[in-house]
Structures are given as C-alpha cells and as structure tokens.
Amino acid sequence: MKPLVVKLGGSTAGHAEMQRWIDLLASANFPLVIVPGGGPFADQVRTSQKRLGYSDDAAHAMAILAMDQFGIAIAERHPQLRVARSISQIGEVLDAGATPVWLPSSMTLDAVDIPCSWQITSDSLSAWLARQLSADTLLLVKQTDEYTHYTTVRELAAVGIVDSMLPDMLGEGTSLHVAGPRMLDTHDLPLASIPGRRIMRHRQTEAMGAQ
C-alpha cells in the first residue's frame, strides 16, 4: 500500500493544533509519511538573510535544513514517529510499523529538479517526495481554514495558501488534499481516512473545454 504523504505546516508550531495533528497522524491505521514545514526555524533564515545579506542559494539550503530541525522536533513528540532521511529509511520505518518523519536535506539539497528559490517551500518539497514514492495522495496541513473558499491548486497558489511552484511540482498521479484546524474536530483516533478537502487541478469548465 502506497503511503499518504502529509506536510505538517510549520505554521502549526506553537499552537495546540500541532500536537493534536501529531497525535491524529500517529494513530493512522494506514501508512503515511510526515513532511515537516520550516516553522520558526525557516522564519529565522528569512530574518537573518536581510541582516547578513547571504544569497538566495544559501537561504534555500538553510531553509531546507530548517525543515530538518522542525522534523526532529516533531519526531520526539510521539513514540510512533521516527526520523528518516532517504527512501530506503522511509521504507524501513514503515516496515517496522512506525511513522516516518522525513528530513529532506540529504535528498534535496543537490537535486537538480528543485529550484533554489523562496518560491519553493515545504509544500512543493512534499509534492516532490510524493513523486519519489509514487504516492497517490498528498495532504497539506495548514494553520488556516481559508482554503475552503477556493477550488483549484492554482487558486490556492494565487492567494498564497500554497506556494507558487506547487501546481507545477504536483505529480499528475498525485491528488491533493488540504486540511485546516477545523478538520481536527471531524476525526477521531485512530485516523481511518484522509482528512481535508480534495482540491481540483482545474475548474471543471476548463477541463471540459480541454476535452
């Protein structure tokens, strides 16, 4: 069974929802992989770049390392979670009946298909990992419920709920779900289904016109 890839947004850091999501995801009765956002660690990279004047390439690398840091913080919040740095380690953690928390730096810092830009965030890196795993579904956990006002991936990107690169990074075989804080009240432990709302790639009228 292919794992669900779940990006746990760094915006949840410092909120009660962070631990509630961790507990819910760790209870899932199906395989999943957690991808950490950058959280306060990535915010510090942005702040320091203005003060220290390092390049976007350096900031990109540091932001990915910030995801590693947040991932380590997530993994210690539940005994079911284990850090994993590669596809093989993800497989080993899943085979052991645990839940991997992916630390992306080892796989992504030198990846030629990942641009060095602030336009690409943990949203797009989650989509990239989903492609590597041939995952059917990507879930983005956000600290907002505003996504319910929009229908397509590009609409979410246009208003900044997901990063601008996600529409292009999302694999053709991967469907996208987005969930916010209110979704937590609709699921009991153990988690038995994918939370969130499924997001279309295109408006139905556009898709019909392209046929």
Side-chain angles (χ1 to χ4, degrees):
M1 184 177 179
K2 295 176 182 177
L4 168 69
V5 176
V6 183
K7 190 294 266 295
L8 182 57
S11 58
T12 64
H15 297 272
E17 287 83 2
M18 175 183 164
Q19 189 62 47
R20 292 181 66 192
W21 277 115
I22 289 172
D23 292 342
L24 184 66
L25 295 173
S27 77
N29 58 16
F30 52 87
L32 61 83
V33 180
I34 297 174
V35 177
F41 306 102
D43 292 340
Q44 186 58 48
V45 173
R46 291 184 178 91
T47 300
S48 297
Q49 185 181 23
K50 295 176 183 178
R51 187 167 62 248
L52 300 179
Y54 45 76
S55 68
D56 283 346
D57 284 358
H60 171 78
M62 294 166 71
I64 290 177
L65 291 169
M67 291 174 62
D68 281 9
Q69 291 178 295
F70 190 44
I72 292 168
I74 289 171
E76 75 165 10
R77 301 297 291 266
H78 197 286
Q80 171 70 9
L81 307 184
R82 304 281 189 279
V83 298
R85 293 176 171 82
S86 65
I87 298 299
S88 61
Q89 287 184 5
I90 288 173
E92 290 168 2
V93 174
L94 290 171
D95 289 344
T99 301
V101 178
W102 182 52
L103 307 186
S105 62
S106 296
M107 290 179 59
T108 61
L109 282 176
D110 295 322
V112 296
D113 55 345
I114 297 177
C116 293
S117 168
W118 278 118
Q119 290 182 302
I120 191 163
T121 70
S122 53
D123 292 341
S124 285
L125 292 180
S126 300
W128 184 87
L129 178 65
R131 294 207 318 268
Q132 311 310 306
L133 295 171
S134 300
D136 295 323
T137 307
L138 168 64
L139 168 63
L140 302 180
V141 174
K142 298 285 183 176
Q143 191 61 19
T144 178
D145 292 302
E146 292 299 312
Y147 67 91
T148 57
H149 301 310
Y150 305 96
T151 303
T152 70
V153 182
R154 291 197 183 278
E155 287 174 345
L156 292 177
V159 297
I161 293 177
V162 301
D163 73 49
S164 61
M165 296 291 293
L166 182 63
D168 296 321
M169 292 290 283
L170 189 65
E172 288 295 328
T174 305
S175 64
L176 177 67
H177 288 238
V178 179
R182 283 204 299 262
M183 193 58 59
L184 282 164
D185 296 328
T186 67
H187 289 271
D188 296 321
L189 278 65
L191 180 65
S193 61
I194 300 172
R197 177 184 177 188
R198 185 171 181 176
I199 306 298
M200 296 190 305
R201 291 178 181 273
H202 310 284
R203 287 188 177 275
Q204 290 181 338
T205 54
E206 294 174 353
M208 290 176 63
Q211 291 178 353

